[in-house]
């Protein structure tokens, strides 16, 4: 495994835990509601071509919870300051689920530091007549089973005994997710009307069996972002980076390479 550095960056008065590894163009990965407590195989695979930077959002995991954090829009502005503070340029921004929502809000506000944008099963918009799953009402077992098509992944998640510290951090993540996305559920009613401002090359990645945010949302993002490309991964749920890591990495790498040429 690549040598991973865990550092703490203080930005906007908030100490944020950041994992970094690899060399090359920066790839900034914004995690979903479950957080980014661990360095995962798909992250390691991406270090073959990129410097992979994985922060834990303010309010999540080992990062502090600042007084100013009220909305996903606050996190979008934070990550614009994060990119500037770290001196990052030509950033390949990848966000999954809640992180995809943050990434879209960021790109609407200021895309100048971005080379590419990849939204993976992103929250953030509402499609009339297409209900999402309710993350806040599902039991832990329902959540695990609804996140994956291949139930072997759900079984592994359910059978893993979490250390007490990790249980506490997961609860922190769940509470902050509720604060940010409880009402309205998992979307900003004003985001869709501004997605046309995103002119960055954009890839939309979705699993065809996503029970949390159905694939119709991928089509909606594609139609709202000029020139966006939609790729659907077969027999895959809400977490393509975990359930189909090789296909996920190939799609991201291929898209960025094409955008660069």
């Amino acid at each position: 495994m690549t040598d991973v550095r865990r550092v703490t960056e203080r930005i906007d008065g908030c100490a944020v835990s950041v994992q970094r590894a690899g060399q090359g163009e920066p790839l900034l990965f914004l995690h979903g509601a479950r957080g980014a407590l661990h360095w995962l195989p798909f992250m390691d695979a991406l270090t073959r071509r990129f410097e992979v930077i994985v922060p834990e959002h303010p309010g999540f995991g080992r990062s502090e919870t600042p007084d100013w954090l009220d909305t996903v829009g606050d996190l979008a502005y934070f990550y614009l300051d994060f990119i500037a503070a770290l001196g990052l340029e030509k950033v390949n921004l990848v966000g999954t689920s809640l992180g995809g929502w943050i990434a879209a809000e960021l790109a609407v506000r200021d895309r100048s530091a971005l080379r590419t944008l990849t939204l993976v099963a992103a929250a953030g918009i509402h499609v009339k007549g297409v209900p999402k799953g309710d993350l806040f009402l599902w039991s832990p077992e329902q959540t695990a089973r609804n996140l994956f098509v291949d139930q072997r992944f759900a079984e592994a998640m359910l059978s893993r005994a979490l250390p007490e510290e990790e249980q506490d951090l997961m609860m922190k993540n769940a509470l902050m997710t509720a604060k940010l996305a409880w009402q309205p559920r998992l979307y900003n009613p004003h985001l869709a009307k501004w997605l046309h401002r995103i002119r960055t090359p954009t890839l939309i990645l979705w699993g065809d069996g996503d029970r949390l945010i159905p694939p119709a949302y991928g089509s909606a993002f594609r139609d709202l972002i000029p020139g966006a490309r939609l790729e659907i991964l077969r027999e895959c749920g809400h977490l393509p980076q975990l359930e189909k890591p090789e296909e996920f990495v190939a799609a991201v790498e291929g898209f960025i390479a094409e955008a660069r040429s």
Side-chain angles (χ1 to χ4, degrees):
M1 181 174 287
T2 306
D3 183 27
V4 181
R5 310 180 302 282
R6 184 181 289 276
V7 298
T8 299
E9 301 286 352
R10 180 165 289 278
I11 297 166
D12 294 338
C14 179
V16 176
S17 177
V18 183
Q19 298 179 87
R20 302 180 71 157
Q23 295 181 338
E25 291 182 10
L27 187 150
L28 177 59
F29 180 82
L30 302 184
H31 65 74
R34 295 184 62 84
L37 295 176
H38 304 289
W39 188 260
L40 297 172
F42 79 91
M43 300 172 184
D44 208 55
L46 287 167
T47 62
R48 295 176 302 192
R49 291 184 170 85
F50 307 102
E51 181 186 13
V52 179
I53 303 167
V54 185
E56 292 183 278
H57 307 323
F60 287 77
R62 301 175 183 88
S63 295
E64 292 180 348
T65 302
D67 292 338
W68 50 255
L69 178 53
D70 296 306
T71 69
V72 170
D74 292 330
L75 290 177
Y77 282 119
F78 168 82
Y79 278 114
L80 287 170
D81 288 350
F82 179 95
I83 288 169
L86 270 62
L88 303 178
E89 298 178 343
K90 299 180 180 178
V91 175
N92 299 292
L93 181 60
V94 180
T96 180
S97 195
L98 174 65
W101 179 1
I102 299 167
E105 297 267 10
L106 181 157
V108 161
R109 286 161 170 78
D110 183 355
R111 61 188 184 273
S112 60
L114 303 183
R115 180 188 287 279
T116 65
L117 173 66
T118 300
L119 304 179
V120 186
I125 62 174
H126 175 66
V127 176
K128 188 175 181 179
V130 185
K132 303 181 186 74
D134 199 326
L135 187 67
F136 301 116
L137 295 183
W138 288 342
S139 69
E141 180 170 356
Q142 287 174 315
T143 298
R145 297 201 179 283
N146 287 335
L147 288 176
F148 300 103
V149 170
D150 187 339
Q151 289 300 293
R152 291 176 296 178
F153 289 92
E155 295 290 350
M157 181 179 289
L158 290 167
S159 65
R160 181 169 175 258
L162 299 181
E164 185 174 352
E165 179 187 9
E166 192 166 332
Q167 292 181 45
D168 291 342
L169 292 176
M170 292 298 288
M171 179 61 69
K172 176 182 177 180
N173 294 349
L175 290 172
M176 181 52 66
T177 299
K179 178 178 181 178
L180 297 172
W182 181 273
Q183 185 62 37
R185 284 289 203 272
L186 296 176
Y187 78 100
N188 172 3
H190 302 289
L191 176 60
K193 64 188 177 185
W194 297 112
L195 289 173
H196 69 273
R197 298 192 74 245
I198 299 176
R199 300 291 173 169
T200 303
T202 301
L203 173 65
I204 314 295
L205 271 180
W206 231 271
D208 65 349
D210 193 331
R211 297 177 189 171
L212 179 58
I213 307 178
Y217 284 81
S219 299
F221 269 109
R222 176 200 59 201
D223 295 343
L224 289 165
I225 299 174
R229 175 198 302 176
L230 173 64
E231 290 192 25
I232 301 292
L233 301 183
R234 303 301 173 189
E235 299 182 1
C236 182
H238 185 65
L239 304 174
Q241 69 275 18
L242 301 185
E243 193 167 8
K244 298 285 184 178
E246 293 182 359
E247 293 178 35
F248 170 83
V249 169
V252 171
E253 290 182 342
F255 168 69
I256 293 174
E258 182 178 325
R260 190 189 299 122
S261 62

